[in-house]
């Protein structure tokens, strides 16, 4: 079963009550494991490995299941993850996450091997989390001027969909540094691999160190 649900924990709940494998395609504001897998796969193709690599994730962390999954996976693989966001867009308890926190994007960009911009999820917001879109873009958007500060080998990522002109400029999104289109293509291969492993019934791959596949009760949840 592949499930995408508005409630956090829905996939794990189903895995405990069904006699089948459950793939979490996004549960509420909790996790999105296969997105983290394809993001890590894309980074590995460009960066070679993760040990000592510096990955910066910028934007609406509060509502982002992509950020949560990426922090845990990348930290497990040995990367140094930094989250950059306004204080109002960071979740409670984030000090317990295996990452660093910054409110100054300009201070972090020059030290990033990969920078991932997150969409501002206005449909999930019920309050004023920042003054204006222009103010957010000025402080936390990836513009062409900021992109110049990146190391020569650094890449730009985005899980999509993008809000061009807000969290990322069109010039950056379409630049040679951007691997956003490649992320989409890699998502097909990575998710095919997940389905193949689960459908083959080969549980020898489950439970190994670093895997994001967790056996829970009667089923397997990813």
């Amino acid at each position: 079963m592949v499930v995408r649900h508005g409630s956090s924990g829905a996939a794990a709940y189903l895995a405990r009550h069904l006699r089948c494998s459950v793939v979490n395609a996004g549960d509420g504001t909790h996790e999105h494991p296969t997105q983290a897998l394809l993001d890590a796969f894309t980074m590995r193709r460009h960066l070679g490995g993760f040990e000592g690599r510096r990955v910066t994730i910028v934007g609406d962390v509060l509502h982002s299941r992509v950020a949560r999954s990426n922090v845990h996976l990348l930290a497990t693989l040995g990367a140094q993850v930094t989250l950059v966001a306004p204080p109002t867009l960071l979740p409670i308890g984030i000090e317990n996450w295996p990452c660093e926190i910054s409110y100054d994007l300009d201070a972090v960009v020059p030290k990033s091997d990969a920078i991932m911009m997150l969409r501002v999820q206005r449909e999930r917001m019920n309050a004023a989390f920042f003054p204006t879109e222009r103010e957010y873009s000025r402080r936390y958007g990836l513009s062409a001027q900021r992109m110049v500060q990146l190391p020569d080998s650094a890449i730009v990522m985005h899980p999509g969909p993008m809000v061009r002109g807000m969290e990322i400029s069109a010039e950056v999104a379409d630049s040679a540094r951007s691997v956003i289109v490649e992320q989409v293509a890699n998502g097909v291969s990575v998710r095919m691999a997940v389905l193949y492993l689960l459908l083959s019934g080969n549980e020898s791959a489950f439970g190994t160190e670093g895997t994001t596949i967790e056996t829970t009760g009667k089923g397997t949840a990813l």
Side-chain angles (χ1 to χ4, degrees):
M1 174 179 286
V2 179
V3 58
R4 188 179 185 94
H5 201 280
S7 298
S8 299
Y13 177 84
L14 287 171
R16 288 194 296 268
H17 293 84
L18 298 177
R19 294 184 179 275
C20 68
S21 298
V22 177
V23 178
N24 183 359
D27 61 328
T29 58
H30 178 228
E31 293 263 8
H32 195 173
T34 57
Q35 180 69 44
L37 287 174
L38 73 90
D39 291 340
F41 179 73
T42 305
M43 289 182 210
R44 186 173 184 178
R45 293 188 68 180
H46 288 270
L47 305 180
F50 294 96
E51 197 65 37
R53 292 293 189 176
R54 296 161 298 186
V55 180
T56 301
I57 302 176
V58 186
D60 185 5
V61 179
L62 178 63
H63 303 101
S64 176
R65 49 191 172 227
V66 174
R68 286 167 172 79
S69 290
N70 266 290
V71 165
H72 292 299
L73 178 57
L74 294 173
T76 299
L77 294 173
Q80 301 172 16
V81 183
T82 300
L83 297 177
V84 182
T88 52
L89 290 178
L90 291 172
I92 296 174
I94 198 169
E95 63 276 3
N96 298 318
W97 293 20
C99 63
E100 297 180 357
I101 307 298
S102 176
Y103 307 111
D104 186 355
L105 180 57
D106 290 313
V108 178
V109 166
K111 301 181 289 185
S112 303
D113 294 302
I115 184 165
M116 182 185 300
M117 309 306 295
L118 301 173
R119 180 176 68 89
V120 175
Q121 299 185 36
R122 285 171 289 190
E123 72 276 8
R124 296 181 183 271
M125 296 184 182
N126 55 9
F129 288 88
F130 48 86
T132 64
E133 292 184 6
R134 178 179 293 182
E135 174 74 7
Y136 178 90
S137 181
R138 186 179 67 83
R139 295 200 58 186
Y140 298 101
L142 187 59
S143 61
Q145 292 76 17
R146 283 197 170 108
M147 184 176 66
V148 172
Q149 302 174 40
L150 285 168
D152 292 339
S153 60
I155 58 175
V156 174
M157 309 179 72
H158 196 302
M162 294 181 287
V163 182
R164 291 172 180 253
M166 187 172 178
E167 76 261 6
I168 188 170
S169 70
E171 185 176 356
V172 175
D174 299 328
S175 70
R177 294 288 191 90
S178 172
V179 297
I180 297 170
V181 174
E182 184 179 340
Q183 283 178 265
V184 176
N186 288 341
V188 177
S189 301
V190 169
R191 286 165 175 141
M192 284 175 66
V194 168
L195 292 173
Y196 177 83
L197 284 171
L198 295 177
L199 289 170
S200 68
N202 181 14
E203 295 195 7
S204 62
F206 303 158
T208 56
E209 184 177 357
T211 185
T212 58
I213 299 176
E214 177 185 357
T215 301
T216 309
K218 298 178 181 178
T220 300
L222 186 150

